[in-house]
Amino acid sequence: MSPLRLLLAGLVALSCIAIAPPVADAQPAPVRVRGTIESINGDLLIVKGRDGRNVTMRMATNVAVAGVEKISLSDIKPGAYIGVTTVADAQGNQKATEVHLFPEALRGAGEGTQAWDTAPGSSMTNGGLDKIVEGNDGHMLTVKYRSGEKQVTVGPETEVVRLVPGKRSDLQSGAKIVAAASRNADGVLETSRISVGLGGLTPPM
């Protein structure tokens, strides 16, 4: 499989973790590991998690690496396929903590809205950007997906990024990552999909 196809397959899987249906007798569901790479020893990654504890993961031989780089909201046009992480305010309005632009080849990945784990009460919505309206509190985005649509507010504090092809050499000590991992038959935490912030960026999704 070509590096690009491997990357796209990995990104599809990463984006779909939260909506995979339960299967009887299946292996434990994948989890997301977020943190900073402390060290790399061959295929072993030691990552300091958000709680300050170290997590050791083994990288699969064919690990797919995606780069995450900062862009501006103006770089995202109506019709683009995006993901938006939101948290509802006291009035129930959806405030975006981050927006990420998918490569066109990933249109349809993880489409829909589901619970997320970046903050209490957060959710992730993947869909097509229908329109952007500028308002007093920022920009209002309408994201459409098969079963409906969601309106979210993007303010100056919202992080806006895009996913780009990455490479294993991007995984260095000090890099910020989010990885999809699961326990293998030996009980070892293994990852085959990693998103890494480029230029010191922390992946916000």
Side-chain angles (χ1 to χ4, degrees):
M1 183 180 291
S2 71
L4 179 58
R5 287 184 179 275
L6 182 61
L7 167 66
L8 296 181
L11 289 177
V12 168
L14 184 62
S15 67
C16 294
I17 289 173
I19 58 174
V23 179
D25 300 323
Q27 294 295 320
V31 297
R32 282 177 294 276
V33 176
R34 297 182 176 86
T36 303
I37 297 176
E38 289 284 284
S39 64
I40 304 174
N41 184 3
D43 289 334
L44 290 181
L45 281 177
I46 296 180
V47 179
K48 178 171 285 188
R50 295 185 296 179
D51 59 2
R53 293 186 294 181
N54 284 347
V55 177
T56 300
M57 295 186 296
R58 177 184 295 159
M59 291 185 289
T61 303
N62 60 347
V63 63
V65 180
V68 182
E69 61 182 21
K70 186 177 180 60
I71 58 174
S72 299
L73 187 61
S74 60
D75 294 320
I76 303 179
K77 308 299 182 185
Y81 192 75
I82 63 173
V84 185
T85 303
T86 60
V87 177
D89 63 16
Q91 289 73 44
N93 301 312
Q94 295 291 321
K95 305 290 187 179
T97 59
E98 67 88 21
V99 178
H100 58 275
L101 174 63
F102 284 103
E104 184 58 29
L106 278 179
R107 180 175 291 275
E111 184 174 355
T113 186
Q114 58 271 333
W116 207 240
D117 62 349
T118 49
S122 62
S123 62
M124 170 72 76
T125 301
N126 290 351
L129 176 59
D130 183 55
K131 60 184 177 181
I132 304 177
V133 178
E134 188 171 0
N136 294 331
D137 298 328
H139 292 77
M140 180 70 72
L141 276 57
T142 301
V143 184
K144 288 193 172 182
Y145 44 93
R146 282 188 297 270
S147 58
E149 65 179 42
K150 179 180 282 190
Q151 292 188 330
V152 301
T153 299
V154 175
E157 73 285 352
T158 304
E159 297 186 75
V160 184
V161 299
R162 66 181 168 195
L163 302 178
V164 298
K167 51 190 182 297
R168 191 158 172 159
S169 61
D170 293 325
L171 304 176
Q172 300 182 8
S173 296
K176 317 291 186 182
I177 67 167
V178 54
S182 59
R183 299 277 176 190
N184 64 20
D186 297 326
V188 176
L189 195 62
E190 186 171 82
T191 179
S192 59
R193 302 175 296 278
I194 301 174
S195 295
V196 55
L198 302 180
L201 181 72
T202 298
M205 67 284 294

